[in-house]
Amino acid sequence: MNKVITDGITLMPPAFADGLDVWSSEDGTPGSVTYDNDSNATLISADADFGTCFEVLKTFDTQKVRSMGETPLLPGCYLRVTAKVKAISGAFPSVRIAGWAGGAGGLHIDGVTEFSDSILLDTYGEVVEVTAIVGGGNRFGVDMVWGRLAIFGHFGVDFTGGNGGVVRVEDIIIEDVTSVFLRNMMDVVDVQDYGAIGDGVTDNVAAFEAADAAAAGRDVLVPEGVYHLATTVTMNNRLRFEGTIDMPDTAIFQLTKDFAFQAYEEAFGNETVALKKGLQALFNFTDHETFDLGGRTINLDAPLDVYSAVGNHETFATRRVIKNGELRAQNTSGWDTEEVTQTASYDFDTDSRKLTNVTNIGTIQVGSLVEGTGVGREVYVRDIDVAGNSISLSSPLYAAAASQNYVFKRFKYLLDFSGFAQVSRLVLTKLDFNGTGRASCVMLPKSGITNAISDCFFTAPADRGITSIGGGCQGLNVDRNQFLSSEQALEVSQRVSIGFNVNSNDAKIRNNRAIRFKHFCVLSGAGYIISGNHWFQADAQETPTRTAGIVLTDNYAKTTITGNYVDNSFIEWSNEHNPTPSGPGFSFSGMTIGNNFFTVKNVDPWFRYIKIKPVDAGHFINGLNISGNVFKVLGSEIDRIDEVDTTFSVLDETKTQEFTMVNNSFTNVENPVANPVKAMVSVTNVSTEWIGDFADKLPFGLRAMNVTSVCAKGPIITAGGAVHFSVPYTLTEQGANLDQIKLNWATPVRGDVICTVQADQISVI
């Protein structure tokens, strides 16, 4: 900064040779006494050192030599006043730079320093230079601090000390030296001042660290160029980037100030590299727990392997948050699914989660979806033991042959955490994972506890929104997300994409919305809270086909499905990931389906809202509550809302217990069902044996196991017309399908009775 150059401001006072009438022996203010015609002052035209100069005999205690001109003093500018003097004869005086501080209206600014330190002249003919800096700010090196009110000054020199000495003064120089303070004033430290070279080759770690140390709260400037940093660097001050930096993948760029995606993008000049380096720093303790994408859209050409980006952790258990931005897949081959078919052996009894004797195991990738005969939905490769030629699976298989072919499909994900052995307390929030129909969205780590995904959009995933390949979903929270399928234009039967899957226990799935996937979610585990969600799976063609919105694949559910909007889909409960009972008294147990809205439109009569699908024999209902739900059908009518899918096996109806299905409402359902169920048994011709048929009244085709009450509706009439007062005894599990009861009377009678029948065993407490 130089105002003489930039603004054309005149700082220099006139030369002495131009006349002494503009040089004052007082303060230089208007009306001051000048040296013009002063008998003690004269011009010397040919001094050996100074050329033309001013000579004065000191006759005052403070002999002032001040310019009558007003030298401007602008805010933020600093002036250096310099004078060269020498003693000629007589007493030796002291000399100092001096000035008169002027403000608005020509008024004097009181209370400021108006002179510099004095220098004694002690040798005749010796040239002595005296200098001082004047300015508004109290900065180091400023001799005369005049504050913000001073706008001009009358500058010159003062001679103090004994009188009678003759001194000469060369023309006084005033110059703008603001540049001396420029770095401090602009609050920036340039890495080049500390040896940085932006040639893309030179290692600049030491220069960056030195500049950071010198900044002490100011910004660090990285000027144009490419600055190579060979090792990890931690910067404690904010940075300004005109150039970029280059680092090895293993080196970490840790910003303790302004830790956000924008800073990393400015640093590396590449969105993908910036995201990788930001995540690397996030997982390496930069004194920040949140990486904010700043609302940016980051375009990715290929999956971002978070484990490889971090590079130095296999496990991580400290809360970390990634938020506020969009990750968008570009239309590149980097998202293509990799598929291989290999032969492997399986022995459920030896290890239900392992494939052995795998051919060409090196072609199979961790995180691959496994397909084959007897393989349930959403079974993934969790780990690969190449030396042992075996694969660890996320879930057991239910009917796999001892040796068979398996298909391994590796989908590609925008954020892939599968390389981590464990990550806990990870939070993904306010992100749009936009697969653009090319990429899946998030793959969770192999294990982890209480990870959370909230307020996100999963937009057009090619195959999966969220995938768990192991236990990284333990205690997972999936809250307030939007799952928007890439297959919305397809008929239901053509869809393959799934919103998400869970393999471990205790997930909370709340207040999400999912549109037109094959399945909203596939859950393999127990302890789920599923509430406040809305999933919708019809198609624009209004075909009658529907798929399951929620698939539960473990019979011991310990799950509540409450307050959801089950729209054009159904709930399927199987045991394909746990084909054998978990222990005495378990089987299909611990499920509550309550207070949900079930709605479907234009379906065939055989559509069902709730399906139980056992994959092997011996299973039974042992703790199921279906209450307070609304089952509504629009545009058509269905036979009933419940079904046991007997593709593989049937339920053992003799063991049904703790089953309640009450207080539900039915619209356009031909056969509403309940348990216990109340129904009228009417006989118009007298008989000692009355048959009550509950085939279409008990859910899931279960048996009429118990009669808990028989209540006459009106009189029971004998053949002779008398009123009969005795009660019948009951026989249960009658008829070919064991869904009838028999009332046995002591004498032939007719009339109406209301019977309460249960399809489960009665527990006596």
Side-chain angles (χ1 to χ4, degrees):
M1 181 184 294
N2 191 313
K3 290 294 183 178
V4 173
I5 297 173
T6 60
D7 294 354
I9 294 173
T10 300
L11 300 177
M12 289 286 290
F16 291 119
D18 292 339
L20 299 182
D21 56 341
V22 293
W23 289 94
S24 171
S25 59
E26 297 180 329
D27 292 324
T29 57
S32 296
V33 177
T34 71
Y35 281 102
D36 190 33
N37 298 318
D38 189 324
S39 60
N40 294 316
T42 187
L43 283 175
I44 304 299
S45 59
D47 183 89
D49 297 307
F50 300 152
T52 301
C53 63
F54 173 67
E55 181 180 278
V56 63
L57 171 65
K58 184 176 182 303
T59 57
F60 300 102
D61 291 341
T62 299
Q63 186 79 42
K64 300 179 179 181
V65 181
R66 305 290 178 83
S67 171
M68 297 285 288
E70 295 182 356
T71 300
L73 185 63
L74 303 179
C77 287
Y78 293 83
L79 306 181
R80 180 167 58 200
V81 183
T82 303
K84 292 181 180 180
V85 302
K86 61 182 178 181
I88 301 301
S89 62
F92 288 111
S94 294
V95 64
R96 65 190 184 192
I97 297 295
W100 186 89
L107 299 178
H108 182 246
I109 304 298
D110 296 323
V112 299
T113 301
E114 295 182 291
F115 47 81
S116 67
D117 292 338
S118 296
I119 298 175
L120 177 64
L121 304 180
D122 58 4
T123 303
Y124 296 125
E126 179 184 5
V127 176
V128 174
E129 182 177 271
V130 59
T131 186
I133 295 177
V134 60
N138 187 13
R139 297 182 177 276
F140 180 78
V142 178
D143 303 283
M144 298 154 63
V145 180
W146 284 6
R148 63 184 180 85
L149 297 179
I151 60 175
F152 70 92
H154 296 285
F155 294 106
V157 294
D158 288 346
F159 294 102
T160 61
N163 294 329
V166 175
V167 292
R168 291 181 180 176
V169 184
E170 190 180 36
D171 289 337
I172 293 175
I173 296 173
I174 301 177
E175 54 191 334
D176 184 349
V177 292
T178 308
S179 59
V180 173
F181 304 95
L182 192 57
R183 287 293 180 223
N184 289 335
M185 291 173 60
M186 295 184 69
D187 202 26
V188 67
V189 172
D190 191 330
V191 294
Q192 287 189 343
D193 291 338
Y194 294 85
I197 300 174
D199 59 4
V201 177
T202 303
D203 181 10
N204 293 290
V205 169
F208 271 61
E209 290 177 343
D212 187 52
R218 293 174 289 163
D219 289 0
V220 176
L221 175 65
V222 181
E224 290 186 8
V226 178
Y227 296 82
H228 180 65
L229 302 175
T231 58
T232 294
V233 173
T234 299
M235 302 296 288
N236 295 307
N237 299 281
R238 288 184 173 83
L239 289 93
R240 301 183 196 174
F241 289 96
E242 296 174 356
T244 59
I245 63 174
D246 167 72
M247 300 183 81
D249 291 342
T250 56
I252 306 167
F253 194 54
Q254 299 182 137
L255 304 178
T256 62
K257 297 286 179 67
D258 198 23
F259 179 72
F261 173 77
Q262 182 174 346
Y264 280 88
E265 186 187 25
E266 291 173 354
F268 292 95
N270 178 283
E271 289 182 335
T272 302
V273 176
L275 182 57
K276 289 180 178 180
K277 285 299 185 181
L279 293 176
Q280 182 185 41
L282 179 68
F283 284 86
N284 278 278
F285 304 100
T286 59
D287 199 31
H288 291 268
E289 54 88 53
T290 297
F291 187 50
D292 192 337
L293 302 187
R296 294 289 301 279
T297 294
I298 303 169
N299 296 300
L300 297 177
D301 294 329
L304 199 154
D305 183 343
V306 182
Y307 170 73
S308 295
V310 173
N312 58 355
H313 294 302
E314 288 197 356
T315 63
F316 199 86
T318 302
R319 182 176 184 267
R320 287 293 181 265
V321 180
I322 306 170
K323 71 173 188 178
N324 191 25
E326 179 189 18
L327 303 182
R328 178 187 288 266
Q330 299 299 287
N331 188 20
T332 68
S333 61
W335 305 108
D336 293 348
T337 297
E338 297 182 50
E339 180 177 324
V340 297
T341 300
Q342 302 297 350
T343 302
S345 301
Y346 182 72
D347 186 340
F348 183 90
D349 295 324
T350 301
D351 192 333
S352 64
R353 294 175 184 257
K354 182 167 286 189
L355 296 178
T356 58
N357 303 317
V358 184
T359 60
N360 297 317
I361 194 169
T363 64
I364 301 170
Q365 301 178 54
V366 168
S368 296
L369 177 71
V370 184
E371 295 180 340
T373 302
V375 181
R377 285 161 285 194
E378 298 302 278
V379 176
Y380 288 90
V381 175
R382 177 172 179 161
D383 281 303
I384 298 175
D385 180 359
V386 175
N389 210 36
S390 65
I391 289 174
S392 295
L393 303 173
S394 61
S395 298
L397 311 184
Y398 66 86
S403 180
Q404 67 177 39
N405 286 336
Y406 294 91
V407 177
F408 300 90
K409 295 180 178 179
R410 186 53 161 92
F411 306 135
K412 303 300 178 62
Y413 293 78
L414 292 164
L415 282 185
D416 191 333
F417 293 88
S418 63
F420 288 98
Q422 180 182 23
V423 175
S424 297
R425 302 172 65 193
L426 172 68
V427 178
L428 305 177
T429 185
K430 298 182 180 179
L431 297 167
D432 186 352
F433 296 97
N434 193 338
T436 65
R438 295 288 291 125
S440 295
C441 298
V442 176
M443 179 171 278
L444 296 174
K446 296 170 187 173
S447 65
I449 300 175
T450 63
N451 295 313
I453 302 173
S454 64
D455 300 293
C456 292
F457 278 75
F458 294 87
T459 305
D463 298 287
R464 300 294 186 268
I466 306 167
T467 294
S468 174
I469 66 168
C473 50
Q474 177 71 39
L476 178 69
N477 286 355
V478 182
D479 294 330
R480 301 181 306 279
N481 301 289
Q482 296 272 348
F483 293 85
L484 307 176
S485 168
S486 64
E487 300 175 316
Q488 296 188 43
L490 299 181
E491 293 185 5
V492 172
S493 60
Q494 297 176 324
R495 297 175 191 158
V496 299
S497 62
I498 295 174
F500 66 95
N501 78 293
V502 177
N503 297 313
S504 294
N505 299 333
D506 306 332
K508 283 74 176 176
I509 302 163
R510 298 169 294 205
N511 303 319
N512 301 282
R513 179 174 176 267
I515 301 297
R516 291 181 175 173
F517 287 85
K518 180 179 182 180
H519 304 302
F520 168 40
C521 58
V522 177
L523 309 175
S524 174
Y528 301 134
I529 296 174
I530 305 168
S531 67
N533 304 283
H534 179 188
W535 58 88
F536 174 81
Q537 288 172 228
D539 54 37
Q541 295 81 4
E542 296 192 352
T543 60
T545 303
R546 298 292 184 272
T547 55
I550 290 182
V551 179
L552 298 112
T553 64
D554 196 325
N555 50 280
Y556 182 44
K558 199 175 68 174
T559 289
T560 175
I561 303 175
T562 306
N564 302 281
Y565 189 173
V566 185
D567 194 337
N568 278 278
S569 65
F570 56 90
I571 295 172
E572 181 178 337
W573 187 11
S574 82
N575 63 320
E576 62 201 63
H577 292 161
N578 185 20
T580 60
S582 302
F586 287 171
S587 201
F588 283 90
S589 57
M591 174 74 77
T592 296
I593 302 174
N595 302 311
N596 301 284
F597 295 98
F598 290 82
T599 304
V600 71
K601 183 179 180 181
N602 297 332
V603 290
D604 291 326
W606 50 83
F607 172 82
R608 302 292 183 261
Y609 274 121
I610 301 174
K611 296 183 181 182
I612 298 177
K613 185 179 182 180
V615 298
D616 66 336
H619 284 280
F620 56 96
I621 294 175
N622 176 32
L624 172 60
N625 186 334
I626 304 174
S627 302
N629 301 284
V630 175
F631 296 98
K632 186 174 185 179
V633 180
L634 301 173
S636 60
E637 185 177 71
I638 63 173
D639 298 333
R640 56 193 298 136
I641 61 96
D642 58 298
E643 179 182 79
V644 176
D645 186 331
T646 59
T647 300
F648 298 102
S649 185
V650 298
L651 290 176
D652 185 346
E653 299 171 2
T654 67
K655 295 181 179 180
T656 306
Q657 56 187 338
E658 301 297 337
F659 175 28
T660 301
M661 187 173 182
V662 297
N663 300 326
N664 300 292
S665 69
F666 303 86
T667 302
N668 288 331
V669 178
E670 183 178 357
N671 298 298
V673 292
N675 187 60
V677 62
K678 295 180 180 180
M680 184 81 72
V681 178
S682 298
V683 173
T684 57
N685 297 316
V686 294
S687 175
T688 58
E689 294 184 351
W690 294 14
I691 301 297
D693 190 349
F694 289 82
D696 295 322
K697 299 175 178 65
L698 292 171
F700 300 110
L702 295 173
R703 301 181 180 190
M705 293 186 69
N706 289 287
V707 178
T708 59
S709 70
V710 177
C711 180
K713 183 180 180 183
I716 303 299
I717 306 299
T718 67
V723 177
H724 183 72
F725 291 97
S726 67
V727 296
Y729 71 88
T730 62
L731 295 176
T732 59
E733 301 181 53
Q734 301 295 297
N737 295 320
L738 307 178
D739 50 14
Q740 297 177 350
I741 65 169
K742 184 182 290 186
L743 304 180
N744 292 274
W745 300 86
T747 187
V749 291
R750 61 181 173 83
D752 302 310
V753 296
I754 299 173
C755 297
T756 302
V757 174
Q758 287 188 207
D760 59 331
Q761 300 174 6
I762 296 176
S763 298
V764 179
I765 300 177

